[in-house]
Amino acid sequence: IKTICVRDADKPRDFKLPQGCTITTNFDDILKDDSLEMVVEVMGGTTQAKDVIYSALRSGKDVVTANKALIAAYMPEISALLDEVNAKRESNVEFRYE
């Protein structure tokens, strides 16, 4: 884990950050970091989570989520986006869920 994007960076956390890991409130810090290949979405909901997932996929980053509400509402749209994104790439971007 290199970067964690949160809504409130000042909120106390009940875990210790791994060495070298940073907290940010700006998702662009993750999208623009070419060293990051995967985004794990755990924010829940559908509005902001959808924007984050779509932006990550468009940026060529694999995405993993357990967001069942988003999957139920948007899976056909996500599949179409993956087709569009992967048509321009040599190696496919993946969307995984549990």
Side-chain angles (χ1 to χ4, degrees), residues 74-98:
Y74 296 105
M75 193 61 208
E77 197 173 303
I78 292 168
S79 292
L81 176 60
L82 282 169
D83 290 342
E84 175 188 326
V85 167
N86 287 330
K88 306 170 193 171
R89 300 179 52 85
E90 288 184 30
S91 61
N92 285 348
V93 173
E94 296 185 1
F95 177 75
R96 301 290 180 152
Y97 53 91
E98 69 153 0

Side-chain angles (χ1 to χ4, degrees), residues 38-95:
M38 179 182 294
V39 171
V40 179
E41 181 275 315
V42 293
M43 68 179 57
T46 56
T47 306
Q48 189 175 20
K50 177 185 172 197
D51 294 342
V52 166
I53 287 172
Y54 284 35
S55 295
L57 293 171
R58 285 187 182 108
S59 294
K61 299 185 185 308
D62 297 328
V63 173
V64 176
T65 186
N67 188 332
K68 291 164 185 58
L70 184 118
I71 293 166
Y74 296 105
M75 193 61 208
E77 197 173 303
I78 292 168
S79 292
L81 176 60
L82 282 169
D83 290 342
E84 175 188 326
V85 167
N86 287 330
K88 306 170 193 171
R89 300 179 52 85
E90 288 184 30
S91 61
N92 285 348
V93 173
E94 296 185 1
F95 177 75

Side-chain angles (χ1 to χ4, degrees), residues 10-28:
D10 296 324
K11 179 181 175 182
R13 311 281 172 209
D14 62 354
F15 60 89
K16 183 178 177 183
L17 287 178
Q19 186 174 357
C21 182
T22 59
I23 287 185
T24 183
T25 57
N26 184 353
F27 188 70
D28 284 336

